[in-house]
Amino acid sequence: EAGVVQSPRYKIIEKKQPVAFWCNPISGHNTLYWYRQNLGQGPELLIRYENEEAVDDSQLPKDRFSAERLKGVDSTLKIQPAELGDSAVYLCASSATGVRNEQFFGPGTRLTVL
Amino acid sequence: GNSVTQMEGPVTLSEEAFLTINCTYTATGYPSLFWYVQYPGEGLQLLLKATKADDKGSNKGFEATYRKETTSFHLEKGSVQVSDSAVYFCALSDQGGSEKLVFGKGTKLTVNP
């Protein structure tokens, strides 16, 4: 069974540029999460989707971050414009309905903002 | 709010040594507790979990017991291997149906042959 797929794996951009990350969850998983992991820290939840609905986006900086999960499968997280402090690893995870606490993580996208 | 505190790393051990990584938590209600492992260049993987007091989670020789009286979930392994070198994260899921995972800062383990 394929795991959570993320792309790109690495991204280097100049500040004020836009950037987007893509996630394809495990087939059949209805719940999708985006986390941000700063260097030397644990992941922190940005947004959680149940199918196509964002049910928890309280930690998403909405002035510059946006996310979508059209058709309840793939998801895209966007930052526009990026700031130096956005440098981090962005992790996507998914879980199946009924066993929500067992989250399966992708390898992450390491973003560097110069 | 809910929080998780892990022992500071890095931890360096010789092969076959005993491992303990301390984890304590602060939470309202009765959270579920987890240990995740992150190998170099890979995503986080669930190592073990416990969902109620006195439960013991175990996997790959690792164990952790949910201690409500001390609000702890320490990770232990009797004999570590070089392949156990990774970063270990303790986490909890808060009650209330949010299913949000709250992570500690992680502890980097290096096992030398």
Side-chain angles (χ1 to χ4, degrees), chain A residues 9 33 35 37 40-43 45 48 50 56 59 91 100-107, chain B residues 32 34 36 38 41-46 49 89 93 97-101 103-106:
Chain A
R9 291 294 307 276
Y33 313 76
Y35 288 85
Q37 184 177 14
Q41 304 291 317
L45 182 70
R48 176 169 68 95
E50 293 287 345
D56 183 357
Q59 301 302 309
L91 296 167
R100 290 178 177 178
N101 290 157
E102 295 198 37
Q103 297 181 23
F104 295 84
F105 285 80
Chain B
S32 295
F34 307 83
Y36 279 83
Q38 188 172 34
E42 299 184 15
L44 280 78
Q45 302 174 23
L46 179 63
K49 72 174 184 179
F89 292 91
S93 69
S98 68
E99 286 80 35
K100 169 185 171 181
L101 284 173
F103 288 88
K105 293 184 177 181

Side-chain angles (χ1 to χ4, degrees), chain B residues 26-90:
Chain B
T26 301
T28 55
Y30 303 96
S32 295
L33 302 173
F34 307 83
W35 277 100
Y36 279 83
V37 58
Q38 188 172 34
Y39 298 103
E42 299 184 15
L44 280 78
Q45 302 174 23
L46 179 63
L47 181 60
L48 54 86
K49 72 174 184 179
T51 58
K52 62 183 186 296
D54 299 326
D55 267 2
K56 177 185 285 187
S58 61
N59 186 24
K60 300 182 180 180
F62 291 89
E63 294 183 340
T65 300
Y66 189 144
R67 300 289 189 197
K68 187 173 182 296
E69 63 277 11
T70 55
T71 62
S72 65
F73 193 55
H74 304 321
L75 182 68
E76 296 182 337
K77 186 174 186 181
S79 176
V80 294
Q81 305 300 311
V82 172
S83 57
D84 294 327
S85 297
V87 181
Y88 292 82
F89 292 91
C90 185

